[in-house]
Amino acid sequence: MKNVKLSDIKVLFDETTIQNRIKEVASKLNDSYKDEEVCVICVLKGAVMFATDLVKSLTMPLTMEFIRLSSYGHSTSTSGKVNAVDIKLPDLTDKNVLIVEDIIDTGLTAKFLLDFIASNFRTKSTKFVSLLDKKCSRQVDVKSDEYCFEIDDKFVVGYGLDYDGKFRNLRFIGYADKSILK
Ligand code: IMP
Ligand code: MG
């Protein structure tokens, strides 16, 4: 991995843009769930910032679960295999389940998770919300119900997303040119 510095990162979405868009997405979810209870599943580590900000603008009664998946290891492209580091969940039978992810890239992680939920629980409903959607990189047919921003083929960091474990703490979403990462 390259030693990428903060000064190598260009801003793609600044803090205000992110926070405003999250409130819009939350408002859509509030309209669709009304006052029905929801179980929010945050996919660690990447979705931590997005999930915690999103739930602050949700108005229905909700519970939160945290699971941890990984597919990247030390790389900027998926290994093709999703590793369920920790996927312990309570019984989700008859629950409205809202999965919160940082980004859908190839779609392998989202598909793994949706299949896992569908084969283990008869939920009342299952929705998938992602901060980012890299539609151009899709390898399997999977869609999010809501997403904040669509991006093209960039490797992004910040606001939960990492490069070699770093930059998750940035308030903005940024990218480094491919030449810097290679
Ligand atoms: P997928 O399984 O290929 O859809 O990738 C999903 C996971 O890969 C996401 O949950 C992220 O954690 C990670 N990922 C994909 N693209 C990026 C990126 O541009 N920056 C950082 N992490 C990424
Ligand atoms: Mg993720």
Side-chain angles (χ1 to χ4, degrees), residues 1 45 73-75 157 160-169:
M1 304 290 276
K45 300 174 188 171
H74 294 277
S75 161
V157 295
L161 294 127
D162 72 303
Y163 174 75
D164 199 17
K166 299 185 194 84
F167 304 115
R168 294 193 198 275
N169 58 314

Side-chain angles (χ1 to χ4, degrees), residues 66-82:
F66 298 85
I67 61 172
R68 193 166 153 209
L69 304 180
S70 89
S71 60
Y72 269 40
H74 294 277
S75 161
T76 57
S77 64
T78 178
S79 64
K81 189 179 167 296
V82 180

Side-chain angles (χ1 to χ4, degrees), residues 21 23-33 146:
R21 180 65 186 134
K23 290 195 181 86
E24 285 176 8
V25 168
S27 159
K28 278 201 186 174
L29 293 168
N30 289 334
D31 289 347
S32 90
Y33 287 115
E146 300 289 344

Side-chain angles (χ1 to χ4, degrees), residues 71-72 78 101-109 134 154-156 161-162:
S71 60
Y72 269 40
T78 178
E101 247 290 39
D102 51 359
I103 184 166
I104 308 187
D105 183 19
T106 61
L108 289 167
T109 305
K134 227 190 263 183
K154 285 186 170 65
F155 191 80
V156 290
L161 294 127
D162 72 303

Side-chain angles (χ1 to χ4, degrees), residues 50-126:
F50 176 42
T52 52
D53 280 339
L54 180 73
V55 293
K56 290 178 212 165
S57 294
L58 294 178
T59 51
M60 74 294 282
L62 65 82
T63 56
M64 291 183 81
E65 297 296 330
F66 298 85
I67 61 172
R68 193 166 153 209
L69 304 180
S70 89
S71 60
Y72 269 40
H74 294 277
S75 161
T76 57
S77 64
T78 178
S79 64
K81 189 179 167 296
V82 180
N83 180 20
V85 182
D86 173 9
I87 199 163
K88 281 193 290 296
L89 286 166
D91 185 11
L92 300 172
T93 309
D94 292 333
K95 306 268 189 207
N96 294 303
V97 171
L98 178 65
I99 302 166
V100 183
E101 247 290 39
D102 51 359
I103 184 166
I104 308 187
D105 183 19
T106 61
L108 289 167
T109 305
K111 184 163 188 337
F112 170 89
L113 199 46
L114 288 165
D115 288 350
F116 179 85
I117 303 268
S119 58
N120 284 279
F121 310 103
R122 211 174 255 278
T123 64
K124 184 170 183 189
S125 69
T126 306

